[in-house]
Amino acid sequence: MVLTHNEALNLGRLLASVRGWCDDVVIVDSGSTDGTARIAEQYAARVVHHPFETHARQWGWALEQLELRHCWVLGLDADQRVTPELRREIEALFASQAGRIAACDGFYIKRRQVFRNRWIRHGGYYPKYLLKLFRRDQVRTDPADLVDHHFAVGARVGRLEHDIIEENLKENDIAFWIEKHLRYARLLAREETCGVRGGARDGNADAYAGRNLRLRRIWSRLPLYVRPILYFLYRYFLRLGFLDGKEGFVFHFLHALWFRLMVDIQVDELRREGRVGRQGLPGSSGSCRITGVVGV
């Protein structure tokens, strides 16, 4: 299962990375006009269509409503791909480690961020563990998430050793990156003005998810306009982001300072206008026994 919208530039690399070992790849497309569906069909993926509201609601609908062959789901974004090492690790997990599979409802996988052909290894950005492999009947999302999606299961989680690679080729165009993150900044500001809430993102009972929740709460208490500066200094100097070269400077500056500043400006405006309510929120050795899921 794959969530897509105009992902022709990225989708082929992802589908190539799961071809031959994920035997059930389903794509949920929300009106692509760039040949995304044609690429999906070339890789023998099933394509269904559903209107897009938010990432979280699209994932929730797909996981609840679509017929999947397997109870385990590998949930990836369209700009991500599986490394050969991770593929072998997952194959071995399902082939010979039934005890570990039975003991877990989900597995965290390390994300390796690539920006303009550069692996962003510093600035606290690697490794970042994301819940990507999970039992369908145990996972949940938070429909109140406006910007991104956060998968959650209970406390029975494990970690895999190898990486997924995230590289959005569309973001090599800085104008695209800026336009996308301006839109995200408005949505994230609306989330923040609603306050920290319970939900799927807070529902993971494991230590890693708990740490992320504590950091979000600390962030929400820091003063507007000051916290983006502190965050950039922390990432670029204390966490050695300067070692990522010129691409790293652009990435850390835009992501840690510029984007977070845009969020703070939007939060400040919403608070001044008193719009802090929720009105208007949108609404090989054989195939692994998992369903491949990719989200935009």
Side-chain angles (χ1 to χ4, degrees), residues 44-60:
R46 291 189 281 150
V47 180
V48 297
H49 301 275
H50 188 261
F52 182 86
E53 293 182 77
T54 66
H55 293 92
R57 293 189 178 191
Q58 191 81 328
W59 274 106

Side-chain angles (χ1 to χ4, degrees), residues 118-123 240-248 252:
R118 179 81 179 229
W119 177 7
I120 306 300
R121 304 183 64 170
H122 303 94
L240 307 181
F242 60 86
L243 295 178
D244 289 322
K246 65 179 182 180
E247 294 86 1
H252 293 299

Side-chain angles (χ1 to χ4, degrees), residues 20 22 36 43 59 89 107 128 134-135 158 178 180 210 235:
C22 277
T36 293
Y43 285 89
W59 274 106
E89 183 178 8
F107 290 89
K128 181 173 183 178
F134 46 80
R135 294 182 188 272
I178 290 174
K180 170 184 171 181
R235 272 178 49 170

Side-chain angles (χ1 to χ4, degrees), residues 10 25 27 31 37 48 60 68 73 77 86 98 101 108 119 136 139 146 159 210 218 238 247 254 279-280:
N10 295 310
V25 179
I27 292 183
V48 297
L68 306 179
V73 172
D77 295 341
L86 178 60
I101 288 292
Y108 281 96
W119 177 7
R136 178 186 183 180
V139 74
L146 300 182
R159 290 187 181 182
I218 292 171
L238 293 182
E247 294 86 1
L254 287 176
Q279 294 83 355

Side-chain angles (χ1 to χ4, degrees), residues 146-147 171 173-191 254-255 257-267 269-270:
L146 300 182
V147 179
E171 292 183 354
D173 179 358
I174 292 298
F176 174 89
W177 195 100
I178 290 174
E179 180 181 355
K180 170 184 171 181
H181 283 78
L182 280 173
R183 184 171 69 254
Y184 282 8
R186 290 191 290 269
L187 295 173
L188 193 58
R190 290 169 64 187
E191 280 190 6
L254 287 176
H255 191 269
L257 182 57
W258 180 86
F259 171 60
R260 293 294 171 175
L261 180 60
M262 294 301 104
V263 174
D264 280 7
I265 292 172
Q266 295 288 330
V267 169
E269 290 182 355
L270 290 174

Side-chain angles (χ1 to χ4, degrees), residues 14-238:
L14 183 149
L15 295 179
S17 76
V18 300
R19 181 168 54 181
W21 61 283
C22 277
D23 65 353
D24 183 28
V25 179
V26 183
I27 292 183
V28 182
D29 189 71
S30 54
S32 293
T33 58
D34 67 344
T36 293
R38 183 177 65 254
I39 293 173
E41 292 167 354
Q42 290 173 355
Y43 285 89
R46 291 189 281 150
V47 180
V48 297
H49 301 275
H50 188 261
F52 182 86
E53 293 182 77
T54 66
H55 293 92
R57 293 189 178 191
Q58 191 81 328
W59 274 106
W61 176 86
L63 290 169
E64 292 173 5
Q65 301 298 325
L66 294 182
E67 181 178 348
L68 306 179
R69 294 181 187 173
H70 308 303
C71 64
W72 280 90
V73 172
L74 177 64
L76 301 175
D77 295 341
D79 58 358
Q80 296 173 340
R81 61 188 186 272
V82 176
T83 60
E85 296 82 6
L86 178 60
R87 167 182 175 166
R88 290 191 290 269
E89 183 178 8
I90 294 175
E91 286 180 322
L93 181 71
F94 281 86
S96 61
Q97 299 186 36
R100 191 178 180 197
I101 288 292
C104 290
D105 294 322
F107 290 89
Y108 281 96
I109 301 176
K110 290 183 294 184
R111 183 188 67 184
R112 183 193 309 173
Q113 179 74 52
V114 175
F115 177 74
R116 310 193 92 186
N117 299 315
R118 179 81 179 229
W119 177 7
I120 306 300
R121 304 183 64 170
H122 303 94
Y125 220 68
Y126 180 86
K128 181 173 183 178
Y129 285 90
L130 303 173
L131 187 69
K132 288 294 186 178
L133 180 62
F134 46 80
R135 294 182 188 272
R136 178 186 183 180
D137 61 353
Q138 296 296 320
V139 74
R140 56 197 178 279
T141 59
D142 186 349
D145 280 333
L146 300 182
V147 179
D148 207 346
H149 59 276
H150 298 82
F151 297 123
V153 293
R156 304 195 326 153
V157 295
R159 290 187 181 182
L160 301 184
E161 294 296 324
H162 297 99
D163 299 357
I164 58 171
I165 297 173
E166 181 170 317
E167 182 181 14
N168 192 335
L169 297 178
K170 294 185 290 185
E171 292 183 354
N172 289 338
D173 179 358
I174 292 298
F176 174 89
W177 195 100
I178 290 174
E179 180 181 355
K180 170 184 171 181
H181 283 78
L182 280 173
R183 184 171 69 254
Y184 282 8
R186 290 191 290 269
L187 295 173
L188 193 58
R190 290 169 64 187
E191 280 190 6
E192 185 166 340
T193 53
C194 291
V196 178
R197 61 186 181 277
R201 75 168 76 184
D202 303 339
N204 289 26
D206 60 280
Y208 184 81
R211 173 182 176 272
N212 286 344
L213 177 58
R214 289 192 296 273
L215 291 176
R216 285 194 295 269
R217 286 174 172 164
I218 292 171
W219 177 264
S220 69
R221 297 187 184 105
L222 294 174
L224 298 182
Y225 303 111
V226 173
R227 58 188 187 175
I229 298 172
L230 296 177
Y231 186 39
F232 172 72
L233 294 176
Y234 167 77
R235 272 178 49 170
Y236 197 69
F237 294 104
L238 293 182

